[in-house]
Amino acid sequence: MRLYVGRSAIALAGAVATALLVSSGATVATAQQPAPPKFAPQSIVWPTAKDGYLLGSCGNASCLAEVQATHDGGKTWATAGKTHNPLAMSGEPGLTSLQFASATFGWAYDPYLEVTKDSGKTWTKVQVPGGDAKVLQLLAAPDGTYVVTSGCAIGTGICDDRPLKVWRAPAGKSTGWQQVKVTVAADDNVLFAADAHGPTVYLLTASFTAPNRLSTLRDGKVRSTSTLTCADAEDAIVTDLATNGPNRIFALCIAHYGRGQSEKTVMVSGDGGKSFRYDAVPGTLGLGSQLAVNADGAVMLTTVTASLVYNRPALTKSWRYDQSWLENSEHIHDLVWQSATTAWLVERDAAYTPDTQLWVTRDAGKTWQKSGVHQ
């Protein structure tokens, strides 16, 4: 983190010196005002190809989180509004992520919860459903908003005696939460994926000790449940879930992971999770983290510990990656498609540093460039 130590002391010394000079009749040049803190992006979403939103801050916990918006596909960005909470450091109160169900309706969350209904201009605090302490995961879908909550106090980690809960609010609403009837252990990882144009939501309960359970939801009700088994079942975990159309499900598995290495497999289903085929990703560098699939079938996945983005273009079986555009071991996250060829991600975390960076590819992952938030 870049520390601005001693700024108050320097300002005080300057004020004293100025007062002495003015009292003696000397001419004093007016000092240039310091530039306002720059916007550091933390989370990015694209509810439409034209409408994008960024959650960010000034790069330290003293600032409230701010939302920047574009309505011209990313050519220009402007401040939409500010939330009531700052960005959250690990185990601390605040906000971490952003999701929008449409161009106007969205959420900032983890561990607190806020909602906007006017494209980010104004934000309203929302009580965590069920009186729980924090939100761990959220999906803003055409079917409604789904959240995973925990009763464990913020900063206390996992409470083994308190299972997690899944809730749903109707589309466009921030009230009327109903608990979804799925069983989630305290240490399970819940992953969501939603059909962008339909009512179906997929919920995966990824467990370290039990089979992974894939549930198909509509209107908050479980329609079917199946088991998802990674290729190396005894030493594998599922880290992300995605969909790009009716009955099309993608899951990212990693196995034999450790010391910055893992065997990565993308599992693909075309029948709503009844069966899967395995697509091994070449190379073991990096731990597979996030998965994103566009409407044409192009697949991207990010890794932690290696700062790599693997991608498989649509209608091909070949994977590729380029490690020349990022320094090793930087945290990259919030991988999201904007269109068939354009995708974005964020480097570093704005709760810890003002030096986060937005990256964009406009050729489906072949090359990446830095992108500033131009107002």
Side-chain angles (χ1 to χ4, degrees):
M1 176 184 290
R2 181 178 296 170
L3 299 177
Y4 299 94
V5 179
R7 179 175 291 181
S8 298
I10 294 172
L12 178 60
V16 171
T18 300
L20 290 174
L21 287 169
V22 170
S23 65
S24 65
T27 302
V28 180
T30 302
Q32 185 176 3
Q33 294 297 316
K38 70 175 185 178
F39 177 80
Q42 167 65 26
S43 183
I44 183 170
V45 292
W46 289 91
T48 75
K50 291 292 186 182
D51 302 291
Y53 295 92
L54 281 164
L55 178 71
S57 184
C58 67
N60 65 65
S62 66
C63 302
L64 293 179
E66 180 179 317
V67 175
Q68 298 269 337
T70 179
H71 302 291
D72 56 12
K75 295 177 183 177
T76 59
W77 296 81
T79 301
K82 289 191 175 184
T83 64
H84 298 276
N85 291 287
L87 295 182
M89 292 186 177
S90 179
E92 298 292 336
L95 304 166
T96 303
S97 299
L98 192 68
Q99 280 207 34
F100 272 69
S102 67
T104 57
F105 184 77
W107 300 85
Y109 65 98
D110 184 12
Y112 287 166
L113 188 61
E114 297 192 28
V115 68
T116 180
K117 299 180 181 180
D118 58 6
S119 302
K121 296 181 181 67
T122 60
W123 291 83
T124 302
K125 293 181 180 179
V126 177
Q127 184 177 1
V128 177
D132 275 349
K134 56 190 175 185
V135 171
L136 303 178
Q137 184 64 280
L138 183 146
L139 175 72
D143 176 57
T145 301
Y146 291 79
V147 296
V148 180
T149 65
S150 170
C152 304
I154 294 172
T156 60
I158 296 172
C159 304
D160 293 335
D161 59 340
R162 294 191 181 184
L164 305 180
K165 298 174 184 176
V166 181
W167 304 82
R168 173 187 175 271
K173 304 291 185 181
S174 56
T175 58
W177 297 96
Q178 296 290 326
Q179 189 170 351
V180 180
K181 294 181 180 180
V182 293
T183 301
V184 186
D187 58 351
D188 283 347
N189 184 25
V190 180
L191 304 169
F192 288 114
D195 184 348
H197 304 290
T200 302
V201 169
Y202 299 104
L203 182 154
L204 180 70
T205 304
S207 174
F208 289 95
T209 58
N212 303 306
R213 300 183 307 279
L214 179 66
S215 299
T216 301
L217 310 176
R218 294 187 187 91
D219 298 323
K221 296 179 175 59
V222 179
R223 305 298 179 177
S224 64
T225 302
S226 58
T227 299
L228 189 155
T229 305
C230 292
D232 227 326
E234 294 184 359
D235 189 36
I237 58 173
V238 182
T239 63
D240 208 0
L241 189 71
T243 181
N244 71 336
N247 297 317
R248 296 278 295 170
I249 305 172
F250 299 76
L252 174 59
C253 296
I254 64 170
H256 306 293
Y257 46 89
R259 296 185 177 181
Q261 306 280 324
S262 68
E263 295 179 3
K264 294 167 281 292
T265 304
V266 175
M267 301 177 60
V268 184
S269 174
D271 56 13
K274 296 176 182 178
S275 62
F276 284 86
R277 65 176 174 84
Y278 301 90
D279 184 1
V281 180
T284 61
L285 191 60
L287 305 181
S289 175
Q290 291 183 308
L291 180 68
V293 185
N294 74 7
D296 295 335
V299 181
M300 286 190 191
L301 65 94
T302 60
T303 66
V304 294
T305 72
S307 300
L308 296 178
V309 180
Y310 291 81
N311 72 85
R312 189 191 67 194
L315 305 177
T316 71
K317 297 182 179 180
S318 300
W319 289 87
R320 64 191 183 189
Y321 70 87
D322 176 10
Q323 62 183 118
S324 63
W325 58 282
L326 271 175
E327 294 182 7
N328 193 34
S329 299
E330 292 290 359
H331 182 210
I332 54 176
H333 54 94
D334 279 67
L335 175 67
V336 60
W337 287 97
Q338 177 190 357
S339 66
T341 57
T342 302
W344 302 71
L345 59 77
V346 180
E347 178 187 6
R348 307 185 189 97
D349 294 279
Y352 296 91
T353 175
D355 296 323
T356 61
Q357 178 62 55
L358 199 60
W359 291 85
V360 61
T361 176
R362 304 190 189 278
D363 53 15
K366 187 176 180 180
T367 60
W368 290 82
Q369 300 83 37
K370 292 182 179 180
S371 177
V373 181
H374 302 296
Q375 298 189 27

